[in-house]
Amino acid sequence: MPGPNYGALGATFTMVRGLQAISLISIIGMTANFISEMVSSSIAPPNVLVGTLSVTCIAVMYCAITWILYFDGILPFLLNTAMDTLLLLAVVIVAVTVGKPLSYLNCQVIGEASGNVSSAYAFADTLGNNLNKVGGKVDYANWIGATKVTCFEMKSIWGLSIALW
């Protein structure tokens, strides 16, 4: 069953929704991995990561629903434009919040100072020992600069958030 025929605009809408879904699912995977590693180490994740995960999960559901409504030919375009604008604001807030401390980091030189710890789990475990292990809270600005891998993954989350603009 073919979808509605809106020409080049319809094809662009379908392609952009697909690319949005790929970016958002990538952000969810990386953010969820960080949160999972921290929670398994009995460390409370930073609010920035929890907020990023929340916004991107809502955005994925929104993308799926709007694409289904579009495919069925019942998507109200004016309402969709308004909702896209609200989602844009949420993504901009996520990108600015995530990127504020990241913009000053040079990930290439982090490994020299941190002993080349290679995973989020290893860093969270080490940091957890320094936070008395019971309900410790990770400071986002300190956490992103601890390992080269963490820095690059957070920069990729930041970059994908910017690409969604």
Side-chain angles (χ1 to χ4, degrees), residues 31-57:
T31 307
N33 179 46
F34 285 136
I35 290 173
S36 172
E37 296 295 338
M38 288 178 189
V39 169
S40 68
S41 297
S42 301
I43 298 170
N47 292 334
V48 174
L49 292 179
V50 175
T52 300
L53 187 61
S54 301
V55 168
T56 52
C57 286

Side-chain angles (χ1 to χ4, degrees), residues 7-157:
L9 189 59
T12 303
F13 179 84
T14 300
M15 183 179 68
V16 167
R17 279 296 190 240
L19 292 173
Q20 284 177 337
I22 290 169
S23 295
L24 290 167
I25 291 169
S26 299
I27 292 171
I28 288 172
M30 289 183 279
T31 307
N33 179 46
F34 285 136
I35 290 173
S36 172
E37 296 295 338
M38 288 178 189
V39 169
S40 68
S41 297
S42 301
I43 298 170
N47 292 334
V48 174
L49 292 179
V50 175
T52 300
L53 187 61
S54 301
V55 168
T56 52
C57 286
I58 291 168
V60 166
M61 291 188 317
Y62 172 74
C63 282
I65 290 169
T66 56
W67 190 82
I68 290 169
L69 291 174
Y70 168 78
F71 190 76
D72 287 343
I74 57 174
L75 180 67
F77 293 119
L78 189 58
L79 179 62
N80 185 38
T81 302
M83 293 299 292
D84 277 355
T85 303
L86 292 175
L87 185 63
L88 173 68
L89 288 173
V91 170
V92 167
I93 290 170
V94 164
V96 168
T97 307
V98 167
K100 201 179 323 179
L102 274 174
S103 63
Y104 299 107
L105 281 179
N106 182 358
C107 296
Q108 295 295 337
V109 298
I110 288 177
E112 299 164 7
S114 66
N116 288 322
V117 179
S118 62
S119 70
Y121 175 76
F123 171 68
D125 190 43
T126 304
L127 188 60
N129 292 330
N130 297 329
L131 293 172
N132 297 328
K133 279 295 223 188
V134 182
K137 185 85 172 156
V138 176
D139 181 41
Y140 174 70
N142 293 331
W143 174 73
I144 58 171
T147 68
K148 190 181 285 190
V149 173
T150 302
C151 181
F152 279 128
E153 285 186 35
M154 285 308 299
K155 283 205 174 196
S156 64
I157 290 172

